[in-house]
Amino acid sequence: MGEPAVGRIAQALRKLRDPTDLLSAALVLVLAAGFLTPTGAAWSDLFYAISGPAILVALWRGKATARGLGPGFFLPVALILWSTASVLWCTDPGPRTNAYLVDGFCTLVFYVGLVVALDQVRFRRLAVNILIWFAALNAVIALIGYPWRNGIGGRLGGIGETRQAILGASVIAVAMLFALFRVLNDKTWTSAQRFAGSAATALMLLFVALTQSRGPILGAAAGVLVLILWSEWRFWILPALIGLPAAVWLIDGAVRIGGLDRALHDIVIGPLTQRGTSFRPEIWRASLARIAQHPWIGHGVGGRLEYKSFTFPHDLYLSLLFYSGAAGLALFVGCVVLLLGGVLRRPGPERSLLVALWANMLVSGLTDYGQIIKGPSPLWYIIWLPIAFSVEFVTRPRVDGAVRLRVSGVA
């Protein structure tokens, strides 16, 4: 009984001699582990000890190379290098400042490895499945423990890299958009698979809503709207999305269901409104004042805002200005224009998914996020994964004038 298992393990290990398989295994491990490791430190240690070195070995051995890399690939590299280099002119360095050099290097390794690996259809499908089903498992575990850990009406936090409500909501939103895309567009799915995908999507949407994180909720809503508007089912889904809440409101107004009123107030309306603005306008004013001191190259990664108890600008765009200056923001805007523009110009069914991922990132970034090179971190899922998928999409060879679907079973 033991020999077949040992033989399979030995065969799997022999396959890792191939750089392509080694690269795929290393990235699958890090993508999956982010949803299950108990702490951020454990996930980081896994990357430092296993996944990161394996990615470097695979890239160095040379067989795992991507094709047709152009500005779309190198501009994000420039953004990572510039952000990392800003450590050198950090205006108020602390004991951890130099650690951002390691963070930037790890982010670069993850990004380059992911772009190269996505050239392989098998890895692409496996990575998407890992994202969907491990994120769904993460959401299920968090939802089961919600009444005891957070209490009804409390802010839901997950496990692994979703334990912090705001970042966790955005990470789960990324996986949810992959799942919804497949539900709406993957013709190879059976009815059972479509049902399972729909259930996973609903659970992840519930997770995002119960975090009560308003920026990520708006980002997820923007992404969902993009997928629906691009879907052939839009004339059925949009009326249902509008009609169902309206019907609940009308029924509640006519019958006055006490339990429903309390649930809406305790779980939805109250938590979303009682926190006010969460000091965001004050944080942003303080950030702009500090940005004005070093507008062109920023305060450097590792700099601290030092406004009350807040240490960073809580806005993606202000964070880019604060840490890496106008130069860093320009590089990011260049990535958006080049990659999102390239995605919009290329025909293909995955275009709607990538636009949805960008919408989620850009909208949710209005109210949060800090240093983009910190890593391993949830921003690898929120920012760098959509960027890598977009680079692969805009450089993929066309077939009969269109880009073939590779997220699903259609080669």
Side-chain angles (χ1 to χ4, degrees), residues 55-106:
I55 293 170
L56 286 172
V57 168
L59 293 173
W60 178 72
R61 288 175 62 185
K63 290 184 181 178
T65 55
R67 38 129 179 91
L69 296 180
F73 169 79
F74 289 108
L75 201 56
V77 170
L79 175 60
I80 294 171
L81 293 177
W82 175 260
S83 299
T84 305
S86 71
V87 170
L88 301 176
W89 58 81
C90 181
T91 56
D92 47 352
R96 196 186 178 279
T97 300
N98 291 335
Y100 289 110
L101 293 171
V102 176
D103 286 348
F105 178 72
C106 289

Side-chain angles (χ1 to χ4, degrees), residues 219-376:
V224 169
L225 185 61
V226 167
L227 289 179
I228 291 174
L229 289 175
W230 242 298
S231 167
E232 63 186 32
W233 304 99
R234 58 186 175 275
F235 297 112
W236 296 94
I237 298 174
L238 282 176
L241 288 177
I242 298 170
L244 183 60
V248 171
W249 180 74
L250 289 172
I251 293 171
D252 182 51
V255 183
R256 303 306 301 176
I257 305 171
L260 180 59
D261 283 342
R262 287 192 298 274
L264 287 173
H265 182 271
D266 294 344
I267 301 176
V268 181
I269 299 173
L272 290 176
T273 58
Q274 65 190 8
R275 299 199 309 275
T277 60
S278 298
F279 294 100
R280 290 300 190 270
E282 294 84 358
I283 297 170
W284 298 335
R285 280 196 294 269
S287 300
L288 288 170
R290 291 290 306 279
I291 289 166
Q293 298 170 0
H294 299 277
W296 301 112
I297 61 174
H299 286 267
V301 136
R304 294 170 64 86
L305 178 61
E306 301 295 0
Y307 174 74
K308 296 185 176 180
S309 61
F310 301 101
T311 60
F312 65 99
H314 286 269
D315 178 280
L316 173 60
Y317 313 99
L318 290 180
S319 290
L320 285 161
L321 279 170
F322 180 78
Y323 294 116
S324 54
L329 181 62
L331 285 170
F332 179 78
V333 171
C335 291
V336 175
V337 172
L338 192 62
L339 293 174
L340 183 55
V343 166
L344 289 169
R345 286 192 299 271
R346 297 204 86 184
E350 281 174 278
R351 178 170 57 176
S352 63
L353 168 63
L354 295 172
V355 174
L357 292 172
W358 278 100
N360 175 64
M361 178 210 307
L362 298 176
V363 173
S364 62
L366 291 169
T367 60
D368 212 76
Y369 308 150
Q371 299 161 12
I372 61 169
I373 61 161
K374 188 176 181 181

Side-chain angles (χ1 to χ4, degrees), residues 79-235:
L79 175 60
I80 294 171
L81 293 177
W82 175 260
S83 299
T84 305
S86 71
V87 170
L88 301 176
W89 58 81
C90 181
T91 56
D92 47 352
R96 196 186 178 279
T97 300
N98 291 335
Y100 289 110
L101 293 171
V102 176
D103 286 348
F105 178 72
C106 289
T107 299
L108 181 64
V109 169
F110 174 78
Y111 165 72
V112 173
L114 189 57
V115 171
V116 171
L118 286 171
D119 194 47
Q120 305 298 318
V121 178
R122 184 178 60 175
F123 168 78
R124 187 178 179 84
R125 294 173 185 160
L126 179 58
V128 170
N129 283 327
I130 289 290
L131 284 169
I132 292 173
W133 301 114
F134 276 74
L137 175 61
N138 182 291
V140 168
I141 294 171
L143 290 169
I144 290 173
Y146 173 64
W148 296 276
R149 289 180 58 199
N150 309 98
I152 301 301
R155 299 187 70 180
L156 175 65
I159 60 173
E161 293 307 300
T162 69
R163 62 191 178 280
Q164 200 274 342
I166 296 174
L167 295 174
S170 292
V171 169
I172 293 295
V174 168
M176 178 273 297
L177 292 172
F178 276 99
L180 180 59
F181 171 79
R182 294 198 67 180
V183 169
L184 295 175
N185 297 280
D186 193 344
K187 306 300 184 184
T188 67
W189 265 14
T190 64
S191 297
Q193 288 173 316
R194 200 171 301 280
F195 176 80
S198 300
T201 302
L203 287 168
M204 288 188 277
L205 278 170
L206 180 59
F207 179 103
V208 173
L210 289 178
T211 64
Q212 302 167 18
S213 302
R214 290 164 290 189
I217 289 173
L218 289 175
V224 169
L225 185 61
V226 167
L227 289 179
I228 291 174
L229 289 175
W230 242 298
S231 167
E232 63 186 32
W233 304 99
R234 58 186 175 275
F235 297 112

